[in-house]
Amino acid sequence: ILPLVSVNQILLFLLVLTVCAILYNRVHQVPLALRNETVDLESPEEMEEEIPVVICAAAGRMGAAVAAISSIYSNTEANVLFYIVGLKTTIPHIRKWIENSKLKEIKFKVVEFNPMVLKGKIRQDASRPELLQPLNFVRFYLPLLIQKHEKVIYLDDDVIVQGDIQELYDTKLAPGHAAAFSDDCDLPSTHEMIRSVGMQNTYMGFLDYRKQAIRDLGISPSTCSFNPGVIVANVTEWKHQRITKQLEKWMQRNVEENLYSSTLGGGVATSPMLIVFHGKHSSINPMWHIRHLGWSPDARYSEQFLQEAKLLHWNGRYKPWDYPSVHTDLWENWFIPDPSGKFKLTRPDS
């Protein structure tokens, strides 16, 4: 029989050994969350998907871009990254405007667009020279401007966003589709407006069907057109299908053959997109592109309808920062005055 002292020593030794083992395991054991490789250790803010939104800031209408950005930023909790595209001469102005206003909190990158990429691709047309501005064609070159994103939203500057931009970003694109647009026949509420101002909503209104090259496309002239002022694009698919090269091909053919002009549908940037994306685009929820607000200084939508709209677009000649125009109060809610005083609203009493 072991002496009592020896037993106590053995028990004490085992107790110390057990405590050491427990402490060792606590210090060296890998927590479950770290051993599970599927767990993302980034903070919720870092995990949040970035929504890239491309908007152009053109000379003479920078207030439009500012109002559009303001409306988007104010109506979402999403992690939006604005790509603001301008020419070399206009970039300092828009940067100063943002950095010296309440928009200084937004995440943005200023991108310079080189108009030399358009050399030889735009047919001069005196009827609406504003449509030939280089930034009007930025939407053709989205993959060159946006490098790290799979999906991107492009918006014309003359829009106001009243909904959560996350909802537009979540638009589903069918497999093989590089972009989603709003069809011009999609919303019965806008049909009366289209009839009242004589606006075209078919391919006949944009392409010259007297030309053999257009007839050879095999597209019915009564096919519903779409508006590329709001685009949700799959950048990977766009590159894969070489969409930019296809658009440039039709621009060059128009220079040579005059296949479409601004005297038709009123958009020289729309026509090549109608050709390239015919039958190969997905659809945007109609309420995410209520348009034609700039088509007439008289024709108006009902206030209730406009309140329900997610996005308003003043496409046409009559812009909400100019006079005459309609529904300017809805636009001006989001306008931020130019700190430099260069951009001013045109109003009846100004």
Side-chain angles (χ1 to χ4, degrees):
I1 297 173
L2 288 171
L4 187 58
V5 175
S6 299
V7 172
N8 287 342
Q9 286 176 334
I10 292 169
L11 290 174
L12 183 61
F13 175 78
L14 290 173
L15 180 62
V16 171
L17 199 62
T18 303
V19 170
C20 289
I22 292 170
L23 290 173
Y24 180 88
N25 282 338
R26 283 187 176 176
V27 171
H28 293 279
Q29 185 181 28
V30 180
L32 181 64
L34 292 181
R35 283 190 274 123
N36 183 352
E37 293 180 356
T38 63
V39 173
D40 194 331
L41 298 177
E42 292 181 323
S43 68
E45 188 177 346
E46 290 171 323
M47 288 168 62
E48 193 179 9
E49 186 173 18
E50 207 167 53
I51 298 179
V53 176
V54 176
I55 295 181
C56 295
R61 48 193 291 163
M62 284 188 198
V66 166
I69 292 167
S70 171
S71 69
I72 295 165
Y73 181 66
S74 301
N75 287 307
T76 188
E77 295 294 325
N79 181 21
V80 180
L81 173 60
F82 293 97
Y83 284 84
I84 303 170
V85 186
L87 302 180
K88 189 173 184 178
T89 53
T90 62
I91 283 175
H93 186 187
I94 192 68
R95 185 186 292 279
K96 186 176 179 182
W97 196 330
I98 289 170
E99 292 176 348
N100 290 278
S101 72
K102 63 183 181 182
L103 290 180
K104 61 179 178 290
E105 303 297 329
I106 70 169
K107 288 171 61 179
F108 73 100
K109 293 182 179 179
V110 175
V111 181
E112 181 183 340
F113 183 69
N114 185 356
M116 289 305 294
V117 300
L118 301 172
K119 190 174 182 180
K121 301 183 183 75
I122 300 177
R123 184 184 184 87
Q124 295 305 310
D125 192 326
S127 62
R128 290 196 64 188
E130 73 275 13
L131 297 175
L132 306 178
Q133 296 300 318
L135 295 181
N136 209 26
F137 300 91
V138 161
R139 70 198 91 193
F140 290 12
Y141 297 94
L142 292 177
L144 300 180
L145 302 167
I146 309 298
Q147 300 294 336
K148 64 173 185 172
H149 301 281
E150 170 78 13
K151 197 175 186 182
V152 62
I153 294 171
Y154 167 88
L155 299 177
D156 276 355
D157 60 1
D158 51 356
V159 306
I160 287 297
V161 174
Q162 301 186 137
D164 186 343
I165 198 73
Q166 179 76 53
E167 191 180 319
L168 179 61
Y169 186 75
D170 290 339
T171 299
K172 301 295 183 191
L173 272 67
H177 285 180
F181 308 96
S182 293
D183 290 319
D184 284 329
C185 312
D186 59 8
L187 198 61
S189 307
T190 65
H191 292 175
E192 180 59 37
M193 171 75 86
I194 290 169
R195 282 194 295 270
S196 68
V197 299
M199 187 171 179
Q200 297 289 343
N201 64 352
T202 66
Y203 273 57
M204 174 68 87
F206 292 88
L207 306 178
D208 188 347
Y209 276 84
R210 296 171 298 180
K211 302 294 171 68
Q212 189 61 45
I214 297 301
R215 294 199 299 272
D216 288 345
L217 290 169
I219 302 173
S220 168
S222 62
T223 301
C224 184
S225 54
F226 58 79
N227 186 300
V230 177
I231 307 172
V232 180
N234 180 322
V235 178
T236 302
E237 198 64 46
W238 192 294
K239 291 177 183 173
H240 176 69
Q241 296 183 31
R242 297 170 63 84
I243 296 292
T244 297
K245 289 293 181 189
Q246 293 186 56
L247 292 167
E248 288 183 327
K249 181 192 83 171
W250 284 102
M251 291 170 76
Q252 286 168 329
R253 287 198 67 175
N254 182 57
V255 170
E256 297 159 7
E257 305 172 50
N258 196 20
L259 303 176
Y260 52 85
S261 77
S262 61
T263 55
L264 290 169
V268 290
T270 298
S271 299
M273 297 196 93
L274 290 176
I275 295 170
V276 170
F277 284 102
H278 173 252
K280 294 188 293 185
H281 70 274
S282 298
S283 295
I284 289 170
N285 179 333
M287 295 305 286
W288 267 100
H289 196 177
I290 301 304
R291 47 208 180 275
H292 318 317
L293 277 77
W295 207 256
S296 163
D298 305 307
R300 301 174 67 93
Y301 287 113
S302 76
E303 292 302 323
Q304 182 182 350
F305 176 66
L306 292 178
Q307 292 299 329
E308 294 171 356
K310 305 284 190 177
L311 181 148
L312 305 176
H313 187 186
W314 279 261
N315 58 312
R317 295 173 185 264
Y318 302 98
K319 303 302 185 186
W321 55 89
D322 280 336
Y323 180 83
S325 56
V326 294
H327 303 299
T328 52
D329 55 325
L330 292 173
W331 181 86
E332 212 167 325
N333 280 340
W334 305 107
F335 174 69
I336 299 170
D338 181 0
S340 72
K342 294 177 185 173
F343 182 94
K344 293 182 174 66
L345 302 183
T346 305
R347 294 293 181 256
D349 53 352
S350 63

